[in-house]
Amino acid sequence: MEDELEDRIFYQTYISHMKLLSKFAVGLPLNTSYFSYIWRLIRFYIIKPEVVLLTLFLVVIFMYIQAVEVWSRSLVNKLRLSVSSSIPTKSQKLQYFKVTGDFDKLSWELKEGNVAVFAVQGRRPKMEDRFVVNENINGTGVHLYAVFDGHGGEFAANYARDNLINNLNSKIIELKQLISKGIDKNAINKPAPPSPAIGKKIPPSPVSLEKKPSFKKTIKEEGIRKQSGVITDPFLLEKLESLPRAITREVKPTRTTSAPIPPPDITSYIETNSTINFGKLVTDEVLAADRLLVEAAKKTMDVAGTTVLIALVEGSKLIVANVGDSRGVMCDFKGRAIPLSFDHKPQQSREKKRIEEAGGSVSFNGVWRVAGILATSRAMGDYPLKDKKLVIADPDILTFDLSDHKPQFLILASDGLWDTFSNEEAVSFIKSRLHEPHFGAKSITLQSYYRGSLDNITVLVINLTSHTWV
């Protein structure tokens, strides 16, 4: 009895103290009805299974967005990119995707004098880009730079790099020798040797075009030169399967019955003022190499193709040849972006008219495509579309007098860069990073990857800030 009385006294004392504390410290009377009311609200609105699960889901999503490096730019872009990347397109479902940031094994770089190149495989299963840097070809004073963006396999890009470039080097050296000897070009009618076919051993160029000692990473010889007929682009595979038999992979190899086209007279490239007509030379060599590439591809039924972007510099003269959607840009002395080439896209009125006159069509499936297959209207290779003349290899040639523009630098890059950068953005980005070891080529390549580029990315920068223009 006494214990029960003591408990009641203790309880009443405790309640009294709590009332006093709530009145003077909190200013709210201690009434259990308030707590029960709040508890009912929490239990009814907050502690519900669906509310708890939704809250946990949002917390996990927020932590994921903060952790992933590619979405570290802004909260709005994080949410937008997260939502868009969570719904893959038909062509992206089969693509090899990684965000590990390990570029050492999947990157290639070159630094030679005032020229730097950086390339990454990116989110593609294979590296199909190729590039060439050939400074002062055999002491002729002519510099050659090239970028090839392959698609549907590596065969076409390898062929263009090995055969087209070697043929151009040989022709330039031969023409320079003729000019230096002062031989009357009208007295010479020596045809140039035909371009070597694929599979034949190509004599080494006087200046090596590959395996530069300054390469940080290289591919094994059997891997980078592998001329496989395997198609790697899942979207291209799907489209080829659905098209009529005339332009599918099932076209059987045929022997060419037409007589080979004789090469033009080598002296036809020499102007009356003893200079080389580089525009005509590059055009003829690209078309000749493309004919041989198509013949070789038909034998193995390889539907690979490649873009071509070649820049030739002699003194203050710059000649740029473009086939496809790789692109060149120049930063002039005022910091303005000057296009060195213009993309060949199927939706352009000139290209669309040509395709339709050849019996083809241009359709939209994410991007505009020739016959629903190819996103560029010009390329080397692509023989199923080349046979119908839906895709051609005729290059556009642009010539520039660098003494007028006094450029700070030139950029040549595959469309993996231009998918995420405009000309002006790329010029501004590189201009602020010319002090870096790769003149900004490495930085802009990685930045393009982080922005979400899905293609191979190759960027070649020619730094001309120290050049004195007359």
Side-chain angles (χ1 to χ4, degrees), residues 275-288:
T275 59
I276 299 176
N277 187 338
F278 286 106
K280 185 176 185 299
L281 174 62
V282 175
T283 299
D284 289 348
E285 289 302 318
V286 168
L287 293 177

Side-chain angles (χ1 to χ4, degrees), residues 410-431:
L410 310 178
I411 304 174
L412 306 180
S414 61
D415 68 332
L417 174 70
W418 307 116
D419 288 342
T420 57
F421 275 86
S422 66
N423 291 358
E424 292 73 19
E425 287 175 332
V427 165
S428 177
F429 191 96
I430 293 293
K431 186 179 178 182

Side-chain angles (χ1 to χ4, degrees), residues 72-88:
S72 61
R73 293 162 58 197
S74 69
L75 182 59
V76 174
N77 284 337
K78 292 170 189 174
L79 294 173
R80 176 179 58 81
L81 291 175
S82 296
V83 172
S84 62
S85 63
S86 65
I87 308 175

Side-chain angles (χ1 to χ4, degrees), residues 107-111 117-118 214-217 438 442:
S107 66
W108 298 262
E109 64 181 70
L110 171 64
K111 175 71 182 302
V117 190
F118 196 83
S214 54
F215 270 107
K216 182 181 177 182
K217 297 291 177 183
H438 291 84
K442 181 175 181 177

Side-chain angles (χ1 to χ4, degrees), residues 175-193:
L175 287 167
K176 283 295 185 179
Q177 290 175 348
L178 290 176
I179 293 173
S180 64
K181 291 178 182 178
I183 300 176
D184 183 8
K185 70 169 191 170
N186 295 322
I188 302 175
N189 191 24
K190 180 183 178 182

Side-chain angles (χ1 to χ4, degrees), residues 256-268:
T256 305
T257 56
S258 59
I261 301 175
D265 182 6
I266 186 67
T267 59
S268 65

Side-chain angles (χ1 to χ4, degrees), residues 411 417-418 420-421 425-427 429-430 433 436 440-449 457 459 461:
I411 304 174
L417 174 70
W418 307 116
T420 57
F421 275 86
E425 287 175 332
V427 165
F429 191 96
I430 293 293
R433 291 167 175 79
E436 296 179 354
K442 181 175 181 177
S443 295
I444 197 172
T445 301
L446 300 183
Q447 182 64 28
S448 179
Y449 176 87
I457 311 169
V459 179
V461 175

Side-chain angles (χ1 to χ4, degrees), residues 16-29:
S16 300
H17 280 83
M18 290 297 101
K19 286 183 178 180
L20 289 173
L21 286 175
S22 65
K23 182 176 181 180
F24 295 105
V26 184
L28 183 68

